[in-house]
Amino acid sequence: MKRFAVVLSLLLALSTALAGCGGSSGSSSNPNSGSNTTTPPATSGQSSGSTSGQTQTASGPSGSIMIYTSIYPDIINLVSPELEKAFPNLKVEWFQGGTEQVTAKMAAEIEAGKIGADLLMVADPSYYVYLKNRDLLMSYKSENFDAVAVDKDTEGYAYTGVRISNVVIGYNTNLVKPEEAPKTFRELTDPKWKDQVVIVDPTLSGTALVSTYALSEKYGWEYFEQLRDNGAVIGGGNSSTETKLVTGEFKVAVILEENLLKVKDRGEPVDIVYPEDGVIIVPSPIGILKTTQNAEAAKAVVDWWLSPEGQKAIVTGWMHSVRTDVESPKGAQPLASFAPGAMKVNWEDLAARSGEVKDKFVEIMGTK
């Protein structure tokens, strides 16, 4: 098991908190389900063809590339014009869905021997460990690699963190006063919150898979049995869970910080608790598939995502940057303020046990 290096001293605490493991030893299975396709403007149900035309000109890469991602459609629509300005001769196509949907598509394409993605940007870091173990990712050290201050593959350069999502607690401010809001994940099993908690489904969301693993490692599976017995409900993905919180169907949610920041900014009655027993930090990576037919374009796009310009686009999408020279998203606590107490995640262990984690969750909590 190998630990990722941390480059910048400001986020040394973050690296310790993540305790992410990566490497190339061993093999693992990562079963998933579902799929959905999006091409800007990001709307569901549209199919895009596979990449073709590897060309490099004086004005930058040309041809086309396909990005498989779990980034929300509205963020794709926001970023696409910036990519077009940066790469005027390059057609960037997208397949968008939840992490579990995207990895299901990947699984089918890997089995068929025809991977359609050039670049992969899904939430769960353990999936990149799985792909690296199967020798499916290209080694590429970006010109901005050293500026990345979170988990990255410092030995094989198969992937690097590109955006940071945080699993936190959200509450409806019309129903819960700030002083009464739960301060820890553990408190959600208290009878005070009976029938008032909604959580995200780890069989649909990569970040929820990470949080389920982290909480089960910290508190044991008894924690989820206690949540179940206290009336906690599976809300589906982060977006549908967000809706249930905003509408007041539930008082409290275990959910992504970025969902809460976005709806709070537009005036919805929600606020954020950064749990005292540890925020669950998910440094979502980017990687290039070895099967790409336009490697130079894929490398250029990775460089852009890791640049200050690309990272500012990440922050505009309510996620935290992987660089220390880019500000936190509006309304968020600085990453360094909660990183030292973050829950630890062993990414290699999760890569090997992701199916087991999902199966155990379903066994205890059932399905939506």
Side-chain angles (χ1 to χ4, degrees):
M1 213 174 290
K2 305 180 181 67
R3 294 183 182 275
F4 296 103
V6 175
V7 180
L8 302 177
S9 60
L10 180 61
L11 290 183
L12 280 173
L14 173 61
S15 176
T16 303
L18 291 170
C21 294
S24 59
S25 61
S27 61
S28 58
S29 61
N30 210 313
N32 304 282
S33 61
S35 66
N36 183 44
T37 304
T38 302
T39 305
T43 55
S44 61
Q46 299 174 324
S47 297
S48 299
S50 59
T51 295
S52 63
Q54 177 178 339
T55 311
Q56 185 76 18
T57 68
S59 57
S62 61
S64 65
I65 64 167
M66 172 70 79
I67 303 175
Y68 286 8
T69 187
S70 60
I71 291 177
Y72 291 130
D74 58 326
I75 308 305
I76 294 175
N77 290 336
L78 185 71
V79 168
S80 292
E82 300 303 315
L83 279 168
E84 186 175 348
K85 282 191 287 186
F87 306 106
N89 299 316
L90 180 67
K91 181 180 181 182
V92 178
E93 299 176 295
W94 304 82
F95 176 93
Q96 190 280 333
T99 293
E100 299 304 306
Q101 293 175 310
V102 175
T103 55
K105 180 175 174 63
M106 284 286 297
E109 292 178 350
I110 291 168
E111 184 176 357
K114 188 175 182 179
I115 299 173
D118 298 285
L119 279 175
L120 184 67
M121 296 179 67
V122 294
D124 177 12
S126 74
Y127 187 64
Y128 293 79
V129 176
Y130 163 75
L131 292 177
K132 181 183 177 181
N133 288 345
R134 293 197 59 175
D135 196 30
L136 293 171
L137 295 176
M138 177 181 292
S139 176
Y140 175 59
K141 185 178 181 181
S142 168
E143 63 185 31
N144 294 306
F145 185 87
D146 291 342
V148 175
V150 297
D151 285 10
K152 54 193 177 184
D153 180 14
T154 58
E155 296 184 357
Y157 304 111
Y159 52 89
T160 181
V162 69
R163 57 189 168 113
I164 298 173
S165 297
N166 302 301
V167 180
V168 296
I169 296 172
Y171 65 95
N172 187 303
T173 56
N174 287 340
L175 303 174
V176 180
K177 296 177 181 178
E179 62 271 18
E180 296 174 347
K183 301 299 186 291
T184 66
F185 289 114
R186 187 67 182 167
E187 286 181 50
L188 300 180
T189 63
D190 191 292
K192 173 182 178 180
W193 303 109
K194 186 170 178 61
D195 300 325
Q196 299 299 330
V197 177
V198 61
I199 63 176
V200 179
D201 189 343
T203 70
L204 299 177
S205 163
T207 52
L209 174 61
V210 174
S211 64
T212 299
Y213 171 84
L215 287 164
S216 66
E217 287 292 293
K218 187 175 182 71
Y219 293 124
W221 285 107
E222 294 83 359
Y223 175 76
F224 287 94
E225 292 171 352
Q226 292 163 4
L227 278 179
R228 176 200 61 200
D229 295 344
N230 206 37
V233 169
I234 302 169
N238 278 283
S239 295
S240 59
T241 299
E242 166 201 305
T243 299
K244 294 177 188 300
L245 181 67
V246 167
T247 60
E249 184 177 347
F250 293 89
K251 293 181 178 180
V252 176
V254 177
I255 191 171
L256 284 177
E257 175 197 36
E258 62 213 56
N259 288 76
L260 299 171
L261 290 171
K262 179 170 64 175
V263 296
K264 182 180 178 181
D265 184 67
R266 71 179 187 224
E268 300 291 358
V270 301
D271 212 342
I272 302 169
V273 173
Y274 293 86
E276 295 172 2
D277 51 352
V279 172
I280 300 163
I281 299 175
V282 186
S284 302
I286 188 169
I288 303 172
L289 279 301
K290 273 190 171 181
T291 50
T292 179
Q293 298 300 302
N294 200 346
E296 294 309 310
K299 291 174 183 179
V301 172
V302 169
D303 291 343
W304 182 85
W305 277 112
L306 298 179
S307 72
E309 293 73 25
Q311 287 297 290
K312 287 174 184 176
I314 290 289
V315 171
T316 303
W318 306 103
M319 295 165 283
H320 289 258
S321 172
V322 297
R323 300 176 63 113
T324 61
D325 55 357
V326 177
E327 296 293 325
S328 299
K330 179 183 176 183
Q333 286 189 12
L335 195 64
S337 70
F338 55 83
M343 287 195 193
K344 294 177 173 60
V345 179
N346 183 323
W347 302 115
E348 277 212 7
D349 187 51
L350 178 54
R353 296 176 49 218
S354 62
E356 172 192 330
V357 170
K358 285 182 278 191
D359 289 345
K360 187 66 176 178
F361 177 89
V362 171
E363 177 187 326
I364 294 172
M365 298 295 299
T367 57
K368 184 179 179 299

